[in-house]
Amino acid sequence: MSRNRRRVGRLFVDVVTFPEAVERIVALAKEPRASYVVTPNADHVVRAEKDESYVGICNDADLVCADGMPLVWTSRFGGGPRLPERVAGSDLLPALAAAAANGFNNDGVTNTVTVNIPPTSGDHVGQAGFAEIVIVYYQTRSFSRIW
């Protein structure tokens, strides 16, 4: 898929609206592969100027959303596409939880997304300010031969 992106500092941010971001994340969750989304703000752009590995992490993400109005405002200068709006990670979480509340269908199989705030597993169990997203993806397998 071709991506429409805008360079902000050393980061490439996807030109998406909030509804488009939710739609793309739900589509990513349906794919049988790992993926990730980053939501950089102005602090992240500054960090990227000094940290090469951070640039790679951000630019390799499956979706990069502008989580800060300074990024949107910056995109209005110079040539290239404008970022249409701020797409905050803090706003994405409840929207994705709502989108996935009843699971989503992928080739006739229901997959589920559960959001636990605070997390119930991992390094941040029970810690406020953290969220855990659990995606259960079912994939049917066919066998050509059973021994």
Side-chain angles (χ1 to χ4, degrees):
M1 177 175 96
S2 176
R3 291 168 67 176
N4 186 14
R5 300 173 95 186
R6 171 63 190 237
R7 185 175 179 166
V8 180
R10 296 177 67 198
L11 302 181
F12 289 91
V13 181
D14 287 284
V15 178
V16 293
T17 63
F18 187 86
E20 290 168 341
V22 171
E23 182 179 314
R24 287 187 46 190
I25 294 169
V26 169
L28 287 169
K30 291 180 180 183
E31 293 181 12
R33 66 177 182 86
S35 57
Y36 68 100
V37 176
V38 296
T39 57
N41 60 29
D43 291 332
H44 299 128
V45 173
V46 171
R47 178 179 176 182
E49 291 301 316
K50 304 171 188 170
D51 187 343
E52 189 66 36
S53 64
Y54 187 72
V55 173
I57 290 167
C58 290
N59 289 340
D60 289 343
D62 296 278
L63 181 62
V64 181
C65 300
D67 188 353
M69 284 308 296
L71 276 68
V72 175
W73 295 329
T74 300
S75 75
R76 295 178 182 163
F77 299 101
R82 291 182 173 192
L83 299 172
E85 64 182 316
R86 175 179 180 249
V87 180
S90 59
D91 294 335
L92 281 172
L93 193 58
L96 291 170
N102 297 315
F104 51 87
N105 193 288
N106 190 23
D107 296 328
V109 178
T110 299
N111 300 290
T112 60
V113 178
T114 305
V115 179
N116 299 317
I117 303 171
T120 59
S121 64
D123 294 340
H124 302 286
V125 171
Q127 293 181 12
F130 290 91
E132 169 186 54
I133 301 174
V134 181
I135 299 172
V136 179
Y137 177 84
Y138 296 95
Q139 185 173 13
T140 57
R141 298 275 188 209
S142 300
F143 296 97
S144 61
R145 187 181 304 177
I146 298 177
W147 301 92

